[in-house]
Amino acid sequence: PLSTRCCAPAGAAPAMNCRAEVLEVSVEGRQVEEAMLAVLHTVLLHRSTGKFHYKKEGTYSIGTVGTQDVDCDFIDFAYVRVSSEELDRALRKAVGEFKDALRSSGSDGMGQISLEFYQKKKSRWPFSDECIPWELWTIKVNVVNLANEQERQICREKVGEKLCEKIINIVEVMNRHEYLPKMPTQSEVDNVFDTSLKDVQPYLYKISYQITDSLGTSVTTTMRRLIKDTLAL
Amino acid sequence: AMDTDLSSQDRKDLDKFIKFFALKTVQVIVQARLGEKICTRSSSSPTGSDWFNLAIKDIPEVTHEAKKALAGQLPAVGRSMCVEISLKTSEGDSMELEIWCLEMNEKCDKEIKVSYTVYNRLSLLLKSLLAITRVTPAYRLSRKQGHEYVILYRIYFGEVQLSGLGEGFQTVRVGTVGTPVGTITLSCAYRINLAFMSTRQFERTPPIMGIIIDHFVDRPYPSSSPMHPCNYRAGEDNGAVYPSVEDSQEVCTTSFSTSPPSQCVFTVTKAHFQTPPPVVMDTLRVPVMGLAFSHQLSSSRLSYQPAALGVGSADMGYPVPFAGGLNAAHPHQLIGPGKEGGVPPIPSQPVHGTQADQERMCTPVNEGHCSAATPSSSDDTETVSNSSEGKCGSPHDLLETIFVRKVGAFVNKPINQVTMANLDIPFAMFAPKNVELEDNDPMVNPPDSPETESPLQGSLHSEGSSGSSTGNTHDDFVMIDFKPAFSKDDILPMDLGTFYREFQNPPQLSSLSIDIGAQSMAEDLDSLPEKLAVHEKNVKEFDAFVETLQ
């Protein structure tokens, strides 16, 4: 879910043992959505399981994750995503907002979108639950403007090649088999996984983005909201 | 110490995991090179039969080839399982593109839990494989196959041979999983020296047949209603973390199999129809100019599996790969459409291989052979089998309506073979049954075009527009189904395809007809000397006029 405020603001530094990966892409405006979706879906493919069904004695069985190929229209590229319409919709919504923000910010077309995986740690009242990130993916985007059709055609191919590299990078990270949250008991499952989807179960995640304005400073969406909220008081 | 040794149950489990991991690896790789988009459905209720909690189809021929290659063994040190992907052109040139290697090294992780961690990591590795198979250069090549080249696969077991990849090949690591008996590694070595064969080259070359086979056609039912998968045999849900399967009791041969490259596409031969089918396909006949290769077709649309009727064939466009037999004694056969009753057998067609190319596929099989072609389909819970969900409607109902389905370019199946069974749409039984049969299709039997005088004119139209039936077959014409790019399925009346076909052959403008044009040109030429004479007579007037301008 996009920036649900369950814990510290998105701009906060990740926890000490939070793995952070950064990817950078330069794309044309109309390629932003597909490029972001390709990366986010590839990460979530690796970070989603089938639905858990708990039985007695603490055992559980896992549902099946289907996959499907997605062809990009503006990039010579194809990727695999989890077969879950809900998940796809959630990602498209986030990416759509990011793209709109990029366009309307009047910036030089630079921004970044982050996908953070976290665990919830319940706290006693009056403190709200803590969100402890354990993996953070950041995609830095630079939007370029192209002059003619020939350049666009080259861009299609080049961005396609670049995305291939990014997929390989993502898979490398996944293969390190570094920290993953322990498989939870039934009572804890919602602290580790997003169980709201009906067909797959990704780890708890949140997506946020920042647009870099032309002065080079970042304006986080969360900061904007804080200021707005403050003024509304 | 004893407690670090693997318990026998763990060892058994581990061996099973590795075996099925190897089989699934082959499936993912081959399916990624068939030239089709793959789609499988997520299912929240575990059926107990989806290995590694992933919905990966099992193409029976591919499983068969893999088992043959493994011959009962598992990857071990020095014994790797390799899937070789190569490209073969219409002229018979072939080139190795990739070698996918599943290897085992000696580095053991004794501490790791087999039934849990190893299993989950193998699942993760398969996901990585799904992702990586789309980013090597061969993927894009394989999506464009069918016109001038096809993609073949070959499975072998033993030492990895990379020499066929040319100089400077690159490798990409898909991942590794440590186990108590060694570390499993999955990687791909791929050729980068595609000098004489870049994807761009094929893009620029127009398709031989003049028809654009668009691999990017969307399925009629958008992905928001996911396709039904083939039915897995519903296993008992025993609540275990991983599915339990019976070990297949196969006969192990001790020799390594060095099977020839198996073909990822379905080949049919040039058509020699005896009789025109009673219901004429809406085909577009185009000249095949003697390219033997033109018999090849990409396996785009042919549904490979004998889907239970109405359950919906494998998710759409699930392609038919073949293990192309090398010799007549060992043909690998196509599973015909619809095992369920009533399907007319596919007539066997003469095999005119291309030149000496023995890898070409061969005879489509008739019903009786279907089961023979999938010897091990009953072994494992994991292979696809017909569902018991035959309650979707009796075969007879469904055979009343005969559809033409695009089954890929160059296909020459007579219409009566193409039944609802191999309509690769989900919910086929619910498709409207009042679809026009071909007799009523104006494209197939178009209204008579206006009488033409010039013999030239007739040849400007394709054969179909003159209203004649398919009776006049030219030997160098091959019938093809026509499916326009990005169109929806032809089930609905007046969709893009129908529109396109209907308006594709309008009568020719009279002003454009050659003889009239020729006439006027001749007239012009004839009248030229006369006109020149007149102008010469008036030359004084012209000169005077010019004077006034100066």
Side-chain angles (χ1 to χ4, degrees):
Chain A
L2 183 64
S3 288
T4 48
R5 302 282 307 285
C6 76
C7 58
M16 288 289 279
N17 60 349
C18 172
R19 185 163 56 243
E21 305 294 332
V22 179
L23 305 163
E24 291 192 46
V25 289
S26 287
V27 294
E28 223 198 334
R30 61 185 187 163
Q31 295 172 322
V32 168
E33 284 190 87
E34 290 180 333
M36 296 302 103
L37 285 170
V39 171
L40 295 176
H41 267 304
T42 301
V43 172
L44 276 161
L45 168 68
H46 290 81
R47 293 286 179 250
S48 301
T49 78
K51 300 279 294 175
F52 282 13
H53 296 268
Y54 285 93
K55 324 246 158 226
K56 13 187 223 283
E57 297 143 18
T59 61
Y60 59 94
S61 55
I62 310 181
T64 302
V65 171
T67 57
Q68 55 190 184
D69 278 309
V70 181
D71 290 328
C72 295
D73 293 324
F74 301 112
I75 313 175
D76 288 347
F77 185 71
Y79 61 93
V80 175
R81 70 166 173 91
V82 163
S83 288
S84 163
E85 293 318 307
E86 289 173 275
L87 186 62
D88 189 38
R89 270 200 300 271
L91 292 187
R92 282 179 186 275
K93 181 156 177 278
V95 166
E97 287 183 27
F98 174 60
K99 187 193 78 166
D100 292 339
L102 264 181
R103 257 212 307 251
S104 62
S105 69
S107 74
D108 290 339
M110 284 183 51
Q112 62 185 53
I113 192 167
S114 298
L115 170 62
E116 177 188 289
F117 292 101
Y118 64 94
Q119 278 176 268
K120 269 201 275 209
K121 194 163 156 204
K122 299 244 183 270
S123 302
R124 287 158 169 259
W125 184 87
F127 302 107
S128 54
D129 294 339
E130 244 188 293
C131 296
I132 305 169
W134 52 271
E135 189 172 78
L136 174 66
W137 296 85
T138 304
I139 313 165
K140 293 193 168 162
V141 180
N142 177 32
V143 180
V144 298
N145 290 312
L146 298 178
N148 60 47
E149 203 48 48
Q150 195 190 10
E151 285 185 18
R152 279 194 198 101
Q153 182 56 36
I154 296 174
C155 191
R156 280 183 70 101
E157 294 164 7
K158 283 273 178 287
V159 171
E161 288 167 22
K162 272 289 168 206
L163 285 176
C164 289
E165 287 173 29
K166 302 304 162 197
I167 303 304
I168 295 175
N169 293 344
I170 293 170
V171 164
E172 261 168 15
V173 172
M174 297 300 177
N175 180 55
R176 289 185 211 147
H177 300 304
E178 288 171 343
Y179 173 78
L180 284 179
K182 248 176 29 191
M183 282 301 146
T185 58
Q186 190 165 12
S187 56
E188 292 280 304
V189 70
D190 289 312
N191 295 338
V192 174
F193 286 104
D194 178 350
T195 54
S196 66
L197 301 164
K198 70 177 194 325
D199 44 13
V200 296
Q201 192 174 284
Y203 281 102
L204 280 173
Y205 72 93
K206 61 168 82 110
I207 300 179
S208 55
Y209 58 85
Q210 303 175 5
I211 307 298
T212 313
D213 69 19
S214 41
L215 294 178
T217 53
S218 300
V219 184
T220 68
T221 53
T222 329
M223 289 310 294
R224 268 208 220 103
R225 273 204 209 127
L226 275 177
I227 292 168
K228 272 201 204 139
D229 293 342
T230 320
L231 291 176
L233 288 174
Chain B
M2 279 304 276
D3 44 323
T4 57
D5 283 350
L6 213 50
S7 77
S8 78
Q9 180 58 45
D10 270 352
R11 182 63 204 248
K12 263 197 348 200
D13 288 344
L14 184 60
D15 285 348
K16 209 161 39 169
F17 294 171
I18 295 176
K19 171 185 164 185
F20 282 100
F21 179 77
L23 296 178
K24 287 295 181 181
T25 292
V26 175
Q27 290 288 350
V28 170
I29 294 168
V30 171
Q31 289 174 29
R33 295 289 175 264
L34 287 166
E36 265 295 317
K37 279 164 76 161
I38 304 296
C39 178
T40 60
R41 194 187 188 187
S42 300
S43 156
S44 71
S45 334
T47 60
S49 60
D50 293 323
W51 270 101
F52 308 105
N53 308 117
L54 285 173
I56 297 173
K57 291 297 168 46
D58 285 314
I59 302 174
E61 289 92 343
V62 175
T63 302
H64 179 65
E65 285 295 302
K67 283 185 172 167
K68 222 170 57 167
L70 287 171
Q73 306 196 41
L74 293 177
V77 180
R79 292 207 309 265
S80 310
M81 186 187 77
C82 300
V83 182
E84 175 193 287
I85 300 291
S86 55
L87 175 151
K88 189 151 191 154
T89 67
S90 52
E91 280 110 41
D93 295 319
S94 78
M95 176 169 72
E96 280 175 34
L97 296 178
E98 302 172 322
I99 314 276
W100 296 83
C101 307
L102 178 58
E103 303 172 280
M104 185 74 114
N105 71 31
E106 289 141 339
K107 186 167 160 207
C108 301
D109 182 345
K110 297 270 185 211
E111 308 295 320
I112 202 168
K113 284 194 67 185
V114 169
S115 69
Y116 172 71
T117 311
V118 171
Y119 189 79
N120 286 333
R121 287 189 181 174
L122 289 174
S123 175
L124 196 70
L125 187 52
L126 276 177
K127 291 173 179 174
S128 295
L129 182 64
L130 282 163
I132 296 286
T133 43
R134 274 63 176 175
V135 305
T136 53
Y139 181 72
R140 302 208 65 223
L141 279 174
S142 69
R143 289 293 298 266
K144 294 175 161 66
Q145 69 182 294
H147 292 173
E148 302 190 11
Y149 62 89
V150 284
I151 305 292
L152 313 178
Y153 75 93
R154 177 172 86 93
I155 307 170
Y156 64 88
F157 189 71
E159 288 227 6
V160 181
Q161 299 147 22
L162 297 179
S163 51
L165 292 175
E167 289 206 5
F169 64 85
Q170 293 201 350
T171 53
V172 59
R173 186 139 93 158
V174 183
T176 62
V177 174
T179 79
V181 302
T183 299
I184 296 167
T185 324
L186 186 53
S187 59
C188 173
Y190 59 95
R191 168 187 285 276
I192 52 170
N193 181 15
L194 292 166
F196 73 99
M197 187 147 306
S198 70
T199 51
R200 291 200 199 103
Q201 175 187 326
F202 289 111
E203 280 167 41
R204 282 197 287 266
T205 312
I208 295 167
M209 307 304 288
I211 296 290
I212 298 168
I213 313 297
D214 195 317
H215 291 288
F216 293 75
V217 172
D218 274 338
R219 301 287 164 232
Y221 296 87
S223 57
S224 59
S225 49
M227 279 67 81
H228 281 294
C230 297
N231 285 289
Y232 300 125
R233 201 162 74 214
E236 296 82 58
D237 184 2
N238 57 13
V241 175
Y242 57 87
S244 69
V245 284
E246 305 89 69
D247 263 337
S248 67
Q249 305 299 321
E250 343 157 53
V251 175
C252 296
T253 60
T254 50
S255 60
F256 290 130
S257 161
T258 50
S259 60
S262 305
Q263 198 161 323
C264 295
V265 296
F266 169 42
T267 307
V268 291
T269 64
K270 210 173 354 189
H272 289 287
F273 284 132
Q274 304 310 325
T275 48
V279 174
V280 180
M281 291 192 268
D282 52 329
T283 60
L284 195 62
R285 300 226 231 122
V286 291
V288 175
M289 291 308 155
L291 257 182
F293 190 77
S294 59
H295 304 306
Q296 296 282 309
L297 82 90
S298 84
S299 57
S300 332
R301 303 284 182 269
L302 192 58
S303 164
Y304 85 95
Q305 49 76 18
L309 292 173
V311 176
S313 67
D315 315 337
M316 305 279 308
Y318 193 57
V320 188
F322 285 82
L326 238 209
N327 48 55
H330 196 49
H332 294 283
Q333 302 183 323
L334 163 62
I335 298 178
K339 259 186 189 168
E340 309 294 54
V343 176
I346 307 173
S348 68
Q349 297 180 351
V351 179
H352 301 293
T354 54
Q355 294 118 359
D357 198 327
Q358 292 157 342
E359 289 150 26
R360 285 297 167 258
M361 239 298 301
C362 50
T363 335
V365 69
N366 86 26
E367 256 190 276
H369 292 326
C370 276
S371 40
T374 57
S376 50
S377 58
S378 52
D379 284 352
D380 308 310
T381 358
E382 305 315 303
T383 56
V384 171
S385 58
N386 268 332
S387 132
S388 48
E389 285 183 30
K391 34 185 153 26
C392 304
S394 79
H396 292 300
D397 292 340
L398 296 168
L399 285 175
E400 277 165 19
T401 315
I402 304 221
F403 289 82
V404 179
R405 285 292 297 135
K406 175 181 155 62
V407 290
F410 324 127
V411 72
N412 298 315
K413 285 166 80 169
I415 178 58
N416 52 13
Q417 274 170 238
V418 181
T419 66
M420 184 84 83
N422 60 355
L423 270 178
D424 49 353
I425 50 166
F427 306 115
M429 54 181 266
F430 298 121
K433 293 203 167 47
N434 57 350
V435 170
E436 295 179 336
L437 291 185
E438 300 311 316
D439 284 344
N440 302 331
D441 186 338
M443 185 53 210
V444 168
N445 293 315
D448 294 307
S449 14
E451 283 297 303
T452 63
E453 276 146 352
S454 159
L456 275 181
Q457 185 147 359
S459 67
L460 292 177
H461 295 267
S462 77
E463 298 293 311
S465 72
S466 57
S468 63
S469 76
T470 54
N472 50 338
T473 7
H474 290 217
D475 270 346
D476 36 341
F477 279 73
V478 173
M479 300 218 284
I480 312 174
D481 269 349
F482 178 60
K483 187 170 170 95
F486 306 113
S487 81
K488 292 204 171 216
D489 194 277
D490 295 347
I491 298 295
L492 304 170
M494 193 47 94
D495 69 339
L496 179 62
T498 319
F499 172 83
Y500 191 57
R501 284 193 302 278
E502 277 188 20
F503 290 92
Q504 195 166 39
N505 288 299
Q508 206 191 29
L509 290 177
S510 57
S511 59
L512 291 180
S513 73
I514 279 187
D515 54 333
I516 291 179
Q519 264 173 22
S520 66
M521 170 85 116
E523 268 169 17
D524 284 341
L525 285 173
D526 284 341
S527 63
L528 209 50
E530 252 176 62
K531 290 188 179 149
L532 279 175
V534 167
H535 291 320
E536 272 198 43
K537 253 194 351 194
N538 298 333
V539 71
K540 289 217 182 66
E541 279 183 36
F542 286 120
D543 285 345
F545 173 68
V546 169
E547 295 279 341
T548 65
L549 295 175
Q550 287 176 355

